[in-house]
Amino acid sequence: MTVRIVIADDEDLIRAGLRVILGSEPDLSVVGEAADGAAVIPVVRRERPDVVLMDVRMPAVDGIQATRQLVAMEEPPKVLVVTTFENDDYVYDALRAGADGFLLKRTRPEELVSAIRTVARGESLLFPAAIRGLAGGRPRVPVPGIERLTGREGDVLRLMAKGLSNGEIAAELVVSAETVKTHVGNVLTKLGARDRTQAVIAAYESGFVSPA
């Protein structure tokens, strides 16, 4: 299956470089580009991509607003935020808005390609240390649903925050991977989280998991 990609970045050189890198992969295809967050919405509606590479800092409509609009679509694409600085509040806000992960612009080509394939498969691109750092300086806020987690679901959420996969969580808790999958699904449902990344952010924002 070919993964269809739209690139949203206000720098012509960045878009051209990404197009060259992705164009060399047989299973990846750049089907559209946009130089602003406002322009990416009609491109996505027209091309129906699987993944959008989204710059967070753009002149008219930034990547955060554009991500919110994309996630609200009936069949939303996966969104990968591309940024210069990992400790950028824009990145955190984009992840809270529903982005599936983020990449630095200095990321090696093979890592970029791997990340696109990962989110295209429906998996989140979670960087626990980076999210912990971004959440560290923010005030705690109530997160509806977190009080409804069972003890075991809480254990699973804490291990998710460490970046463990379902298989690794299963080994840690000495349960089956299928059981962990069920717990993860329950955690996402109770927190109203779109994916693991949003669940982990909720864990930090509520104080359920400490960034320290």
Side-chain angles (χ1 to χ4, degrees):
M1 183 185 73
T2 299
V3 178
R4 296 167 59 82
I5 303 161
V6 164
I7 302 170
D9 196 296
D10 63 328
E11 296 185 39
D12 294 343
L13 190 59
I14 295 293
R15 294 200 311 275
L18 290 172
R19 188 168 60 246
V20 169
I21 292 169
L22 302 178
S24 66
E25 300 295 325
D27 61 330
L28 305 181
S29 175
V30 176
V31 297
E33 297 181 18
D36 185 77
V40 73
I41 306 303
V43 173
V44 167
R45 288 196 176 116
R46 183 178 69 247
E47 300 296 342
R48 310 302 301 173
D50 302 296
V51 177
V52 175
L53 294 181
M54 181 79 74
D55 185 19
V56 286
R57 294 179 179 269
M58 291 182 284
V61 174
D62 63 30
I64 301 166
Q65 296 179 61
T67 296
R68 288 195 186 102
Q69 293 180 54
L70 291 178
V71 170
M73 287 182 172
E74 188 172 339
E75 296 182 9
K78 302 298 182 180
V79 179
L80 265 179
V81 170
V82 184
T83 180
T84 304
F85 305 107
E86 64 181 292
N87 60 343
D88 191 334
D89 282 344
Y90 275 71
V91 173
Y92 189 83
D93 290 337
L95 293 173
R96 291 183 78 249
D100 297 273
F102 75 93
L103 293 167
L104 298 178
K105 288 188 176 180
R106 63 176 181 269
T107 296
R108 295 195 302 270
E110 60 270 23
E111 293 174 338
L112 168 66
V113 168
S114 175
I116 290 171
R117 290 172 179 150
T118 296
V119 298
R121 289 195 302 266
E123 302 172 27
S124 296
L125 199 65
L126 181 59
F127 295 99
I131 293 177
R132 184 167 61 246
L134 288 165
R138 291 175 175 253
R140 304 283 74 85
V141 296
V143 174
I146 205 151
E147 75 285 349
R148 296 172 50 219
L149 298 180
T150 66
R152 184 43 59 94
E153 289 165 357
D155 293 339
V156 168
L157 179 55
R158 292 184 187 95
L159 294 174
M160 286 166 58
K162 292 183 178 180
L164 272 63
S165 67
N166 284 4
E168 291 167 334
I169 294 173
E172 181 80 14
L173 299 179
V174 196
V175 296
S176 71
E178 194 61 34
T179 296
V180 172
K181 184 177 179 181
T182 298
H183 286 319
V184 170
N186 291 341
V187 169
L188 298 186
T189 298
K190 290 180 179 180
L191 298 184
R194 181 170 180 251
D195 53 31
R196 295 169 83 98
T197 300
Q198 287 197 317
V200 169
I201 287 174
Y204 283 125
E205 288 190 332
S206 65
F208 186 83
V209 174
S210 172

